[in-house]
């Protein structure tokens, strides 16, 4: 068991290096948006989904309703049902409790590593998940503590940071795919148009769902992972 | 925020865990069609797009160039595959210069 757990941890090292900057950015931005250091850490420990957490911070700063943030989180994380289906098919011999534990921290990165390996074992996946989970929580804490040391002029310029984080997640994974670029630009314009009629948080949710629905027919190529490396 | 943050965290945790856990319980009984799978995997992209625009223009409601120039700096670095934290630091640095100099 130990060997497989350790080889899972080892296999996830490159992905951990990708997760750490996201965790630091989230920690910083969460505290800037008014969460305490503990709340920022707790969100990472309980939700474990970088893109959704950054979205929630953006929506909090816009003054979105609790229901809108939770609905948005639901949609952005619904993709995990596809990843989990394929992982659980391979893990069908594991005990139900083990499967439920493995599901908790299952994310794009751990799915990618598990899918590309020959190893079906529960402990291998647990090793991958634990390393990613630990890195994400630790980097969130580091990010939230950094706000204590930064001078005021830096904090004042922080409003741009969230958008910079979204661009940093989005552009590297779409730049080689013209259809995705087209879809992303179209969705942004759709969101802008709908904001003339709807509150920003609801137009955001509607734009992301409509955009993805249109994308099913517009984007033909493989879809790369949004906050990981490689294509699955 | 007019609600306790703990409700937000719990709500987000529940709606995130359910799609992860359902296939663990109902093994092989959930089979999203390729089209549904594609729809779900596209959502993070369209979400980011809608999160960036048009809000980035209102980073500073009196000075739209703060959002445009800071965002452009981050966008160029992201296009060159820089890590997220580098894009964030660069955008903050650019805006700091804009505030200090202009």
């Amino acid at each position: 068991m130990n060997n497989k757990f350790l080889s899972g941890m080892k296999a996830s090292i490159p992905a951990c290096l990708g997760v750490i900057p996201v965790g630091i950015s989230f920690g910083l931005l969460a505290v800037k948006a008014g969460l305490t250091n503990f709340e920022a850490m707790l969100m990472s420990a309980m939700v474990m989904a970088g893109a959704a957490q950054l979205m929630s911070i953006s929506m909090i700063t816009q003054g979105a309703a609790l229901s809108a943030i939770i609905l948005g989180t639901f949609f952005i994380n619904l993709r995990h049902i596809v990843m989990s289906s394929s992982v659980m098919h391979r893990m069908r011999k594991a005990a139900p409790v083990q499967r439920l534990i493995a599901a908790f921290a299952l994310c794009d990165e751990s799915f990618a590593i598990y899918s590309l390996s020959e190893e079906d074992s529960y402990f291998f996946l647990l090793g991958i998940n634990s390393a990613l989970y630990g890195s994400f929580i630790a980097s969130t804490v580091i990010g939230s503590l950094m706000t204590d040391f930064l001078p005021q002029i830096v904090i004042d310029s922080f409003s741009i940071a969230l958008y910079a984080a979204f661009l940093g997640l989005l552009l590297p994974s779409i730049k080689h795919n013209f259809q995705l670029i087209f879809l992303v630009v179209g969705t942004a314009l759709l969101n802008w148009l709908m904001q003339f009629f709807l509150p920003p948080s609801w137009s955001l949710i509607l734009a992301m769902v409509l955009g993805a629905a249109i994308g099913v027919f517009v984007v033909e190529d493989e879809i790369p992972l949004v906050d990981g490396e490689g294509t699955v | 925020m007019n609600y306790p943050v703990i409700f937000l965290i719990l709500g987000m945790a529940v709606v995130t865990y359910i799609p992860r856990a359902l296939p663990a319980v109902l093994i092989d009984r959930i089979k999203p069609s390729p089209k549904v799978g594609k729809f779900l995997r596209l959502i993070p992209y369209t979400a980011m797009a809608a999160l960036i625009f048009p809000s980035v223009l209102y980073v500073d409601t009196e000075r739209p160039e703060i959002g445009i120039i800071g965002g452009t700096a981050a966008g160029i670095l992201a296009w060159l595959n820089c890590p997220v934290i580098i894009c964030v630091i660069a955008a903050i640095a650019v805006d700091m210069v804009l505030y200090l100099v202009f």
Side-chain angles (χ1 to χ4, degrees):
Chain A
M1 159 230 157
N2 265 337
N3 268 340
K4 287 181 175 167
F5 185 82
L6 285 179
S7 63
M9 289 188 96
K10 212 179 277 175
S12 72
I13 291 174
C16 288
L17 296 177
V19 160
I20 289 168
V22 181
I24 293 177
S25 311
F26 170 73
L28 272 169
L29 294 164
V31 173
K32 168 77 166 38
L35 272 68
T36 64
N37 291 358
F38 176 74
E39 286 164 345
M41 192 268 297
L42 190 67
M43 190 187 281
S44 286
M46 292 189 62
V47 181
M48 176 67 193
Q53 289 173 230
L54 285 167
M55 178 172 74
S56 76
I57 297 306
S58 168
M59 292 179 83
I60 288 170
T61 30
Q62 282 184 351
L66 184 63
S67 53
I69 303 178
I70 292 176
L71 189 66
T73 303
F74 173 72
F75 279 123
I76 202 172
N77 286 334
L78 202 52
R79 68 188 189 284
H80 292 135
I81 205 166
V82 183
M83 301 175 191
S84 183
S85 301
S86 117
V87 168
M88 295 307 160
H89 174 76
R90 283 175 56 188
M91 267 186 42
R92 59 193 177 280
K93 287 185 186 133
V97 178
Q98 293 182 326
R99 294 197 300 264
L100 285 169
I101 293 172
F104 181 71
L106 188 75
C107 54
D108 303 49
E109 287 84 354
S110 59
F111 168 71
I113 300 162
Y114 188 74
S115 303
L116 296 175
S117 96
E118 305 273 295
E119 180 59 72
D120 284 335
S121 138
Y122 160 71
F123 291 104
F124 180 67
L125 179 60
L126 197 66
I128 300 171
N129 280 354
S130 307
L132 287 166
Y133 188 63
S135 316
F136 190 54
I137 297 175
S139 54
T140 301
V141 172
I142 293 171
S144 65
L145 292 176
M146 277 166 71
T147 52
D148 295 337
F149 302 101
L150 293 172
Q152 190 59 39
I153 176 74
V154 180
I155 308 266
D156 287 343
S157 306
F158 242 74
S159 315
I160 192 67
L162 197 57
Y163 303 100
F166 291 136
L167 287 163
L169 285 175
L170 182 62
L171 294 188
S173 26
I174 66 166
K175 66 176 192 181
H176 296 303
N177 188 332
F178 282 107
Q179 294 165 337
L180 259 181
I181 295 175
F182 176 75
L183 182 69
V184 156
V185 173
T187 306
L189 291 175
L190 182 67
N191 180 46
W192 172 68
L193 278 176
M194 288 194 300
Q195 289 200 358
F196 290 103
F197 312 100
L198 293 168
S201 52
W202 296 111
S203 101
L204 167 76
I205 292 172
L206 205 58
M208 72 194 219
V209 173
L210 282 176
I214 295 167
V216 173
F217 303 99
V218 175
V219 181
E220 290 160 2
D221 307 337
E222 280 286 291
I223 301 160
L225 290 172
V226 81
D227 42 9
E229 286 155 35
T231 308
V232 177
Chain B
M1 282 173 279
N2 55 356
Y3 45 81
V5 176
I6 188 71
F7 289 174
L8 176 73
I9 295 174
L10 284 176
M12 288 176 65
V14 169
V15 298
T16 302
Y17 186 57
I18 289 173
R20 284 172 174 167
L22 267 184
V25 184
L26 310 169
I27 299 177
D28 293 340
R29 269 180 284 171
I30 299 180
K31 283 192 186 133
S33 72
K35 277 206 166 124
V36 173
K38 197 174 180 186
F39 168 69
L40 299 177
R41 302 231 347 240
L42 281 170
I43 289 182
Y45 293 94
T46 54
M48 305 260 174
L51 282 162
I52 295 168
F53 192 81
S55 321
V56 70
L57 305 177
Y58 315 129
V59 166
D60 184 327
T61 41
E62 270 147 39
R63 299 181 61 181
E65 79 275 13
I66 294 291
I68 295 169
I69 298 174
T72 306
I76 291 170
L77 292 175
W79 194 267
L80 300 172
N81 287 339
C82 288
V84 178
I85 194 74
I86 300 295
C87 302
V88 170
I89 292 170
I92 293 172
V94 166
D95 277 3
M96 255 173 60
V97 172
L98 286 177
Y99 277 123
L100 287 172
V101 179
F102 302 102

